[in-house]
C-alpha cells in the first residue's frame, strides 16, 4: 500500500494530537525513525530529539501523560497547508491548530512540520512548535 503525503500527515495528526496514542504514533515511524522538536525548552517532557520507535513511544507517551494544554483539537477551526518539495520523499506542512479546553478557553497554536518518508512510514519528522501555555 502506498499512501499519499496527505494521508501520512493525517494519520500522524489522528494518532498523535487527536487520539494521543503513543504506540500508534511510534508505529508510523521506520524502526530507525527520528522525531525532532527543536523548539522544546530544556527539561521539557518531550525531548528535542528521539531516535527509534522505542524512544519515540516513550517520549510521546510522557508528553501525552502531562500535556501543557489539556484541551481537544478543534478540527472545524484548525487547518493546514501541505507543501510538496522537489524531493519526492520530503514534504512540509504549515498548521494552524485551535485547542478547546473544557472551561471554554480557546488557544491557537501555529507550527511547521517537515517530513521525510520511506515508503508509507515516517523516517524523520521535525516538528517546529512551542508548547502552549
Amino acid at each position: 500500500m502506498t499512501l499519499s503525503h496527505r494521508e501520512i500527515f493525517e494519520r500522524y495528526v489522528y494518532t498523535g494530537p487527536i487520539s494521543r496514542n503513543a504506540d500508534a504514533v511510534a508505529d508510523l515511524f521506520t524502526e530507525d525513525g527520528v522525531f525532532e522538536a527543536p523548539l522544546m525548552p530544556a527539561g521539557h517532557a518531550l525531548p528535542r530529539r528521539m531516535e527509534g520507535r522505542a524512544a519515540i513511544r516513550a517520549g510521546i507517551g510522557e508528553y501525552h501523560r502531562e500535556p501543557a494544554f489539556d484541551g481537544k483539537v478543534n478540527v472545524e477551526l484548525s487547518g493546514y497547508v501541505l507543501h510538496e518539495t522537489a524531493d519526492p520523499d520530503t514534504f512540509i506542512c504549515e498548521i494552524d491548530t485551535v485547542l478547546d479546553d473544557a472551561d471554554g478557553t480557546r488557544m491557537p497554536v501555529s507550527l511547521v512540520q517537515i517530513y521525510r518518508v520511506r515508503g508509507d512510514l515516517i523516517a524523520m519528522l521535525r516538528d517546529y512548535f512551542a508548547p502552549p501555555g
Side-chain angles (χ1 to χ4, degrees):
M1 175 163 102
T2 300
L3 299 173
S4 70
H5 290 163
R6 183 169 308 278
E7 290 168 320
I8 291 170
F9 167 75
E10 289 176 352
R11 281 191 331 167
Y12 172 76
V13 169
Y14 179 77
T15 60
I18 293 176
S19 299
R20 295 182 179 174
N21 184 334
D23 291 326
V25 170
D27 290 343
L28 298 178
F29 283 80
T30 59
E31 279 295 327
D32 62 344
V34 174
F35 182 106
E36 293 182 346
L39 302 181
M40 286 294 105
H44 192 274
L46 183 65
R48 288 184 183 156
R49 182 176 173 89
M50 297 166 278
E51 294 183 45
R53 283 186 183 152
I56 293 167
R57 181 176 290 106
I60 296 291
E62 184 64 28
Y63 178 63
H64 287 166
R65 270 189 284 287
E66 296 188 33
F69 187 85
D70 202 21
K72 302 278 186 214
V73 174
N74 184 320
V75 177
E76 291 178 9
L77 296 179
S78 299
Y80 67 91
V81 178
L82 192 142
H83 300 278
E84 298 293 345
T85 69
D87 179 347
D89 295 329
T90 301
F91 65 96
I92 300 167
C93 217
E94 295 178 73
I95 307 160
D96 290 306
T97 300
V98 176
L99 301 174
D100 288 338
D101 202 359
D103 68 3
T105 303
R106 189 164 274 164
M107 177 175 288
V109 178
S110 294
L111 57 136
V112 171
Q113 295 174 329
I114 301 171
Y115 290 79
R116 289 198 176 96
V117 297
R118 198 174 312 134
D120 291 343
L121 298 175
I122 301 167
M124 191 279 301
L125 171 56
R126 189 167 293 132
D127 198 343
Y128 290 96
F129 78 103

